[in-house]
Amino acid sequence: MKIIAFPFAGGNSYSFKFLETELLKHNIAMETIEYPGRGNRVSEALVGDIEDIKKKIMAQVLQKVMNIGDHEPYVLYGHSMGGLTAYLIALELMKTKLPAPKRLIVSGKSAPAIKYNRGISKMTSEDFWRTMQAIGGTPEELLQNDMLKKFYEPIIKSDYKAVEDFEYKQERKLKYPIDVFYGSDDIFPLEQMTPWGQETVEKMKTYELTGGHFFIYDHVPVLVNHFKSVLEVGNELKV
């Protein structure tokens, strides 16, 4: 059983380690995609266009899907920016003859049809870091270290630009369900989540969890149980 995961803005292949460790206890492997310009692809140029990011990570995704055993279930998962990336990858996979995922699972991301543009990618450095602190999820040691901030600021801004510049176009609907988790105190309210339903011919379900944008850190058991239930029997979690 496998999860192919897509990180949030500024994230890398280690961003979901807090989930990976717990998932392994249930024999579920989470393999996180590496975007250009960070982690083991730090020597590559940053990409501030979501379509170009999709193209540059597609080889990674295809390799991971091809390595999945016959009849082995897998899902696509992404948080925030990763939710949008996972959705675009899901559309690309429909063009191949590879096995489809059992589900697209998204957390902390409004539906693709909802335009997102808070202008974060164009903020001054001071306003940018003030906003990052307000959103949450940024380690305090990073916020207090000017060298780390200088390193990460262009990475995070580039990712935000990719999301802010995304132009939605109605494409083929997915042929499997979509599950959407959102935080009770996040900037994305339920009404921005429900349009995910128009992206699939199957059912879409929303799940509210307490917390802000990075509520996922506070609900590891809930998320692990959800992944487990979907991958093992295809059922939805009751939360």
Side-chain angles (χ1 to χ4, degrees):
M1 298 183 291
K2 184 174 292 186
I3 302 163
I4 300 177
F6 301 82
F8 41 83
N12 57 39
S13 59
Y14 294 98
S15 293
F16 296 125
K17 279 295 181 183
F18 68 100
L19 280 172
E20 290 176 20
T21 303
E22 296 303 311
L23 286 163
L24 280 176
K25 296 177 183 178
H26 301 278
N27 296 314
I28 300 172
M30 175 177 270
E31 298 186 0
T32 304
I33 297 299
E34 191 82 276
Y35 300 142
R38 80 286 315 271
N40 57 34
R41 301 182 68 176
V42 70
S43 61
E44 299 178 38
L46 291 168
V47 180
D49 180 278
I50 200 75
E51 291 292 335
D52 288 341
I53 291 173
K54 177 190 71 177
K55 293 173 185 176
K56 288 183 177 292
I57 64 173
M58 196 63 199
Q60 284 183 73
V61 175
L62 291 175
Q63 187 62 56
K64 292 181 186 300
V65 174
M66 288 187 289
N67 287 341
I68 295 173
D70 292 340
H71 309 297
E72 180 184 0
Y74 78 98
V75 300
L76 302 179
Y77 166 68
H79 181 75
S80 195
M81 170 192 173
L84 176 59
T85 311
Y87 162 72
L88 295 175
I89 289 294
L91 292 175
E92 287 299 308
L93 287 173
M94 290 182 68
K95 302 174 185 177
T96 74
K97 296 182 179 180
L98 293 170
K102 292 191 70 171
R103 199 160 300 193
L104 170 63
I105 302 176
V106 174
S107 59
K109 181 67 186 78
S110 56
I114 305 295
K115 181 67 175 176
Y116 177 86
N117 192 354
R118 298 180 65 193
I120 290 176
S121 64
K122 299 178 181 178
M123 287 182 176
T124 64
S125 184
E126 183 178 355
D127 288 343
F128 171 77
W129 286 111
R130 187 183 298 114
T131 301
M132 291 300 99
Q133 187 170 24
I135 290 173
T138 305
E140 190 63 29
E141 55 267 29
L142 193 162
L143 293 171
Q144 299 301 323
N145 188 310
D146 289 340
M147 288 185 64
L148 286 177
K149 286 162 69 175
K150 185 176 181 179
F151 175 79
Y152 278 104
E153 183 172 337
I155 297 174
I156 304 172
K157 281 186 173 180
S158 178
D159 288 348
Y160 266 100
K161 181 180 185 300
V163 176
E164 291 170 350
D165 290 351
F166 171 69
E167 295 294 336
Y168 174 77
K169 296 177 183 178
Q170 180 70 59
E171 299 208 32
R172 298 170 61 189
K173 295 178 183 287
L174 301 182
K175 297 180 180 179
Y176 42 85
I178 301 176
D179 293 341
V180 181
F181 287 84
Y182 68 100
S184 58
D185 300 319
D186 198 356
I187 61 169
F188 302 119
L190 176 60
E191 53 264 32
Q192 292 191 14
M193 301 298 176
T194 51
W196 273 106
Q198 71 189 42
E199 307 304 333
T200 178
V201 298
E202 295 292 336
K203 56 190 173 183
M204 184 279 295
K205 286 204 168 185
T206 57
Y207 302 88
E208 180 184 83
L209 297 177
T210 56
H213 189 56
F214 282 93
F215 62 90
I216 55 174
Y217 291 125
D218 300 322
H219 296 282
V220 172
V222 173
L223 293 170
V224 168
N225 286 337
H226 187 77
F227 286 127
K228 184 172 180 287
S229 66
V230 169
L231 287 165
E232 287 185 346
V233 293
N235 292 330
E236 294 80 23
L237 187 67
K238 302 287 190 261
V239 296

